[in-house]
Amino acid sequence: MLLDRAGCDLLMICDITGHSYRSTQAIVKHYRARKAAQAESGIDWLELQVRKEGLNLDRHSVGVFQRCMAPAKAFGYARSRA
């Protein structure tokens, strides 16, 4: 999706990723449908739940949590937290 957001057309994305044109269309259509506000709200709920339960996250859990948040941050959906 970064390629799409960077302005690459579908043929360029196909050439870069090796996906078929049909597959690229489906991927772009699927991910463009996501709403930034909804994604950010989901991250807020997840953070709230972690705090409410007082979870003491071990290294593995922290890694999973960070990987869950990374795509949203990469697409600009999550605001930075202080």
Side-chain angles (χ1 to χ4, degrees):
M1 282 308 300
L2 290 176
L3 294 171
D4 179 58
R5 290 186 51 182
C8 295
D9 63 24
L10 289 177
L11 290 176
M12 290 174 158
I13 295 172
C14 291
D15 289 340
I16 293 167
T17 65
H19 289 98
S20 69
Y21 190 82
R22 181 178 282 176
S23 177
T24 301
Q25 280 181 311
I27 292 167
V28 169
K29 181 180 177 184
H30 174 78
Y31 286 102
R32 272 189 189 158
R34 293 189 176 179
K35 304 283 188 256
Q38 186 175 359
E40 187 170 323
S41 177
I43 290 170
D44 290 341
W45 278 85
L46 176 61
E47 288 180 338
L48 178 64
Q49 191 63 31
V50 167
R51 287 191 198 118
K52 270 172 67 174
E53 293 186 14
L55 294 177
N56 185 8
L57 300 177
D58 59 23
R59 277 189 196 179
H60 173 36
S61 298
V62 169
V64 170
F65 184 71
Q66 288 171 341
R67 284 191 300 276
C68 287
M69 290 183 60
K73 287 182 179 179
F75 288 109
Y77 293 152
R79 64 181 180 272
S80 58
R81 308 281 191 239

